[in-house]
Amino acid sequence: QVQLVESGGGLVQAGGSLRLSCTASGSIFNIADLTWYRQAPGKQRELVASITRTGITNYADSVKGRFTISKGNTKNTMFLEMNTLEPEDTALYFCYARPWGGSPTYWGQGTQVTVSS
């Protein structure tokens, strides 16, 4: 079992920055990669950025150059540095963990990011 807790969301003006954190606990040794997803009202959940255990990153085209995903010094934390935020970035941001073998997967409860114009 893995538990994921997100933090760092909030209300920010367009052009501003936020840093999201995801803290994992439990069987973290079995996590292959971590991903940030987001879901805006009335829209499907979409991938924002992911990072593998070896540090390989992947980004959605809409956030490339503005967002940076990273892992903390302890293996159980992940961050999403979000710069130059746009109103279109407004969403509930979720942390997702995929273990070696692919299942079961784990989701956090989400942290709300709201960008005002």
mmCIF file of all heavy atoms in Angstrom, residues 28-50:
data_model
loop_
_atom_site.group_PDB
_atom_site.id
_atom_site.type_symbol
_atom_site.label_atom_id
_atom_site.label_comp_id
_atom_site.label_asym_id
_atom_site.label_seq_id
_atom_site.Cartn_x
_atom_site.Cartn_y
_atom_site.Cartn_z
ATOM 1 N N ILE A 28 6.959 2.553 -0.449
ATOM 2 C CA ILE A 28 7.492 3.448 -1.482
ATOM 3 C C ILE A 28 8.627 2.804 -2.263
ATOM 4 O O ILE A 28 8.943 3.232 -3.366
ATOM 5 C CB ILE A 28 7.949 4.788 -0.889
ATOM 6 C CG1 ILE A 28 9.050 4.566 0.147
ATOM 7 C CG2 ILE A 28 6.769 5.524 -0.286
ATOM 8 C CD1 ILE A 28 9.662 5.855 0.663
ATOM 9 N N PHE A 29 9.225 1.735 -1.729
ATOM 10 C CA PHE A 29 10.333 1.078 -2.433
ATOM 11 C C PHE A 29 9.846 0.477 -3.749
ATOM 12 O O PHE A 29 10.627 0.207 -4.653
ATOM 13 C CB PHE A 29 10.916 -0.028 -1.545
ATOM 14 C CG PHE A 29 9.923 -1.117 -1.227
ATOM 15 C CD1 PHE A 29 9.785 -2.219 -2.049
ATOM 16 C CD2 PHE A 29 9.117 -1.032 -0.104
ATOM 17 C CE1 PHE A 29 8.873 -3.210 -1.764
ATOM 18 C CE2 PHE A 29 8.193 -2.022 0.192
ATOM 19 C CZ PHE A 29 8.071 -3.108 -0.639
ATOM 20 N N ASN A 30 8.541 0.256 -3.848
ATOM 21 C CA ASN A 30 7.967 -0.412 -5.004
ATOM 22 C C ASN A 30 7.472 0.560 -6.065
ATOM 23 O O ASN A 30 6.916 0.133 -7.078
ATOM 24 C CB ASN A 30 6.813 -1.310 -4.549
ATOM 25 C CG ASN A 30 6.496 -2.377 -5.573
ATOM 26 O OD1 ASN A 30 7.386 -2.891 -6.245
ATOM 27 N ND2 ASN A 30 5.219 -2.707 -5.716
ATOM 28 N N ILE A 31 7.694 1.853 -5.858
ATOM 29 C CA ILE A 31 7.201 2.840 -6.821
ATOM 30 C C ILE A 31 8.165 2.967 -7.995
ATOM 31 O O ILE A 31 9.342 3.214 -7.811
ATOM 32 C CB ILE A 31 7.013 4.210 -6.156
ATOM 33 C CG1 ILE A 31 5.915 4.134 -5.086
ATOM 34 C CG2 ILE A 31 6.645 5.263 -7.203
ATOM 35 C CD1 ILE A 31 5.761 5.421 -4.298
ATOM 36 N N ALA A 32 7.646 2.782 -9.205
ATOM 37 C CA ALA A 32 8.469 2.890 -10.410
ATOM 38 C C ALA A 32 8.524 4.330 -10.917
ATOM 39 O O ALA A 32 9.580 4.814 -11.320
ATOM 40 C CB ALA A 32 7.926 1.979 -11.500
ATOM 41 N N ASP A 33 7.379 4.991 -10.933
ATOM 42 C CA ASP A 33 7.364 6.382 -11.344
ATOM 43 C C ASP A 33 6.218 7.126 -10.681
ATOM 44 O O ASP A 33 5.244 6.523 -10.227
ATOM 45 C CB ASP A 33 7.303 6.535 -12.874
ATOM 46 C CG ASP A 33 6.293 5.619 -13.510
ATOM 47 O OD1 ASP A 33 5.095 5.781 -13.227
ATOM 48 O OD2 ASP A 33 6.707 4.739 -14.286
ATOM 49 N N LEU A 34 6.356 8.433 -10.644
ATOM 50 C CA LEU A 34 5.364 9.330 -10.060
ATOM 51 C C LEU A 34 4.909 10.330 -11.109
ATOM 52 O O LEU A 34 5.722 10.785 -11.919
ATOM 53 C CB LEU A 34 5.944 10.068 -8.856
ATOM 54 C CG LEU A 34 6.221 9.225 -7.614
ATOM 55 C CD1 LEU A 34 7.119 9.981 -6.649
ATOM 56 C CD2 LEU A 34 4.926 8.842 -6.925
ATOM 57 N N THR A 35 3.656 10.672 -11.061
ATOM 58 C CA THR A 35 3.075 11.541 -12.076
ATOM 59 C C THR A 35 2.148 12.557 -11.433
ATOM 60 O O THR A 35 1.463 12.246 -10.459
ATOM 61 C CB THR A 35 2.269 10.695 -13.088
ATOM 62 O OG1 THR A 35 3.128 9.702 -13.652
ATOM 63 C CG2 THR A 35 1.707 11.551 -14.210
ATOM 64 N N TRP A 36 2.144 13.751 -12.005
ATOM 65 C CA TRP A 36 1.126 14.755 -11.686
ATOM 66 C C TRP A 36 0.074 14.735 -12.786
ATOM 67 O O TRP A 36 0.392 14.812 -13.967
ATOM 68 C CB TRP A 36 1.732 16.141 -11.592
ATOM 69 C CG TRP A 36 2.540 16.389 -10.373
ATOM 70 C CD1 TRP A 36 3.901 16.381 -10.263
ATOM 71 C CD2 TRP A 36 2.045 16.692 -9.067
ATOM 72 N NE1 TRP A 36 4.273 16.651 -8.980
ATOM 73 C CE2 TRP A 36 3.154 16.857 -8.217
ATOM 74 C CE3 TRP A 36 0.763 16.858 -8.520
ATOM 75 C CZ2 TRP A 36 3.028 17.154 -6.870
ATOM 76 C CZ3 TRP A 36 0.638 17.160 -7.182
ATOM 77 C CH2 TRP A 36 1.763 17.309 -6.367
ATOM 78 N N TYR A 37 -1.173 14.632 -12.370
ATOM 79 C CA TYR A 37 -2.312 14.785 -13.256
ATOM 80 C C TYR A 37 -3.114 15.995 -12.785
ATOM 81 O O TYR A 37 -2.976 16.437 -11.649
ATOM 82 C CB TYR A 37 -3.228 13.555 -13.207
ATOM 83 C CG TYR A 37 -2.764 12.376 -14.008
ATOM 84 C CD1 TYR A 37 -1.851 11.473 -13.482
ATOM 85 C CD2 TYR A 37 -3.242 12.155 -15.295
ATOM 86 C CE1 TYR A 37 -1.422 10.378 -14.215
ATOM 87 C CE2 TYR A 37 -2.828 11.066 -16.040
ATOM 88 C CZ TYR A 37 -1.929 10.177 -15.485
ATOM 89 O OH TYR A 37 -1.515 9.097 -16.209
ATOM 90 N N ARG A 38 -3.956 16.501 -13.642
ATOM 91 C CA ARG A 38 -4.873 17.561 -13.242
ATOM 92 C C ARG A 38 -6.217 17.364 -13.918
ATOM 93 O O ARG A 38 -6.309 16.755 -14.983
ATOM 94 C CB ARG A 38 -4.317 18.948 -13.578
ATOM 95 C CG ARG A 38 -4.197 19.248 -15.053
ATOM 96 C CD ARG A 38 -3.513 20.601 -15.257
ATOM 97 N NE ARG A 38 -3.402 20.940 -16.667
ATOM 98 C CZ ARG A 38 -2.728 21.996 -17.120
ATOM 99 N NH1 ARG A 38 -2.102 22.816 -16.270
ATOM 100 N NH2 ARG A 38 -2.683 22.243 -18.410
ATOM 101 N N GLN A 39 -7.233 17.901 -13.252
ATOM 102 C CA GLN A 39 -8.581 17.814 -13.803
ATOM 103 C C GLN A 39 -9.303 19.123 -13.543
ATOM 104 O O GLN A 39 -9.507 19.520 -12.389
ATOM 105 C CB GLN A 39 -9.360 16.653 -13.189
ATOM 106 C CG GLN A 39 -10.711 16.413 -13.839
ATOM 107 C CD GLN A 39 -11.311 15.077 -13.459
ATOM 108 O OE1 GLN A 39 -10.930 14.456 -12.479
ATOM 109 N NE2 GLN A 39 -12.256 14.610 -14.262
ATOM 110 N N ALA A 40 -9.672 19.767 -14.628
ATOM 111 C CA ALA A 40 -10.435 21.003 -14.542
ATOM 112 C C ALA A 40 -11.930 20.671 -14.574
ATOM 113 O O ALA A 40 -12.316 19.615 -15.086
ATOM 114 C CB ALA A 40 -10.077 21.925 -15.700
ATOM 115 N N PRO A 41 -12.766 21.542 -14.051
ATOM 116 C CA PRO A 41 -14.203 21.278 -14.052
ATOM 117 C C PRO A 41 -14.728 20.993 -15.458
ATOM 118 O O PRO A 41 -14.440 21.748 -16.392
ATOM 119 C CB PRO A 41 -14.797 22.572 -13.489
ATOM 120 C CG PRO A 41 -13.718 23.145 -12.663
ATOM 121 C CD PRO A 41 -12.445 22.801 -13.368
ATOM 122 N N GLY A 42 -15.445 19.906 -15.605
ATOM 123 C CA GLY A 42 -16.042 19.563 -16.883
ATOM 124 C C GLY A 42 -15.082 18.968 -17.891
ATOM 125 O O GLY A 42 -15.474 18.728 -19.046
ATOM 126 N N LYS A 43 -13.840 18.726 -17.474
ATOM 127 C CA LYS A 43 -12.854 18.179 -18.405
ATOM 128 C C LYS A 43 -12.300 16.860 -17.886
ATOM 129 O O LYS A 43 -12.428 16.535 -16.696
ATOM 130 C CB LYS A 43 -11.709 19.183 -18.607
ATOM 131 C CG LYS A 43 -12.133 20.454 -19.307
ATOM 132 C CD LYS A 43 -10.929 21.308 -19.641
ATOM 133 C CE LYS A 43 -11.326 22.557 -20.405
ATOM 134 N NZ LYS A 43 -10.142 23.390 -20.765
ATOM 135 N N GLN A 44 -11.688 16.118 -18.778
ATOM 136 C CA GLN A 44 -11.083 14.851 -18.386
ATOM 137 C C GLN A 44 -9.764 15.093 -17.649
ATOM 138 O O GLN A 44 -9.100 16.113 -17.857
ATOM 139 C CB GLN A 44 -10.834 13.987 -19.626
ATOM 140 C CG GLN A 44 -12.094 13.410 -20.240
ATOM 141 C CD GLN A 44 -11.786 12.378 -21.321
ATOM 142 O OE1 GLN A 44 -10.778 12.481 -22.009
ATOM 143 N NE2 GLN A 44 -12.636 11.392 -21.451
ATOM 144 N N ARG A 45 -9.410 14.139 -16.818
ATOM 145 C CA ARG A 45 -8.130 14.213 -16.134
ATOM 146 C C ARG A 45 -7.019 14.066 -17.176
ATOM 147 O O ARG A 45 -7.090 13.222 -18.065
ATOM 148 C CB ARG A 45 -8.036 13.093 -15.087
ATOM 149 C CG ARG A 45 -6.922 13.236 -14.094
ATOM 150 C CD ARG A 45 -7.061 12.239 -12.982
ATOM 151 N NE ARG A 45 -8.241 12.515 -12.149
ATOM 152 C CZ ARG A 45 -8.487 11.902 -10.997
ATOM 153 N NH1 ARG A 45 -7.652 10.965 -10.532
ATOM 154 N NH2 ARG A 45 -9.566 12.199 -10.304
ATOM 155 N N GLU A 46 -5.983 14.901 -17.053
ATOM 156 C CA GLU A 46 -4.901 14.865 -18.022
ATOM 157 C C GLU A 46 -3.550 14.813 -17.329
ATOM 158 O O GLU A 46 -3.374 15.342 -16.233
ATOM 159 C CB GLU A 46 -4.957 16.096 -18.936
ATOM 160 C CG GLU A 46 -4.774 17.424 -18.241
ATOM 161 C CD GLU A 46 -4.713 18.605 -19.193
ATOM 162 O OE1 GLU A 46 -4.758 18.403 -20.418
ATOM 163 O OE2 GLU A 46 -4.614 19.740 -18.699
ATOM 164 N N LEU A 47 -2.594 14.187 -18.009
ATOM 165 C CA LEU A 47 -1.234 14.116 -17.489
ATOM 166 C C LEU A 47 -0.573 15.471 -17.591
ATOM 167 O O LEU A 47 -0.675 16.145 -18.630
ATOM 168 C CB LEU A 47 -0.440 13.068 -18.268
ATOM 169 C CG LEU A 47 0.976 12.765 -17.798
ATOM 170 C CD1 LEU A 47 1.300 11.298 -18.057
ATOM 171 C CD2 LEU A 47 2.007 13.659 -18.480
ATOM 172 N N VAL A 48 0.116 15.863 -16.534
ATOM 173 C CA VAL A 48 0.850 17.123 -16.527
ATOM 174 C C VAL A 48 2.343 16.854 -16.685
ATOM 175 O O VAL A 48 2.998 17.397 -17.564
ATOM 176 C CB VAL A 48 0.597 17.894 -15.217
ATOM 177 C CG1 VAL A 48 1.422 19.176 -15.187
ATOM 178 C CG2 VAL A 48 -0.888 18.198 -15.055
ATOM 179 N N ALA A 49 2.888 16.002 -15.806
ATOM 180 C CA ALA A 49 4.320 15.693 -15.843
ATOM 181 C C ALA A 49 4.559 14.410 -15.058
ATOM 182 O O ALA A 49 3.821 14.105 -14.129
ATOM 183 C CB ALA A 49 5.141 16.828 -15.253
ATOM 184 N N SER A 50 5.604 13.689 -15.462
ATOM 185 C CA SER A 50 5.945 12.457 -14.767
ATOM 186 C C SER A 50 7.450 12.364 -14.600
ATOM 187 O O SER A 50 8.219 12.997 -15.332
ATOM 188 C CB SER A 50 5.415 11.241 -15.526
ATOM 189 O OG SER A 50 6.061 11.122 -16.781
#
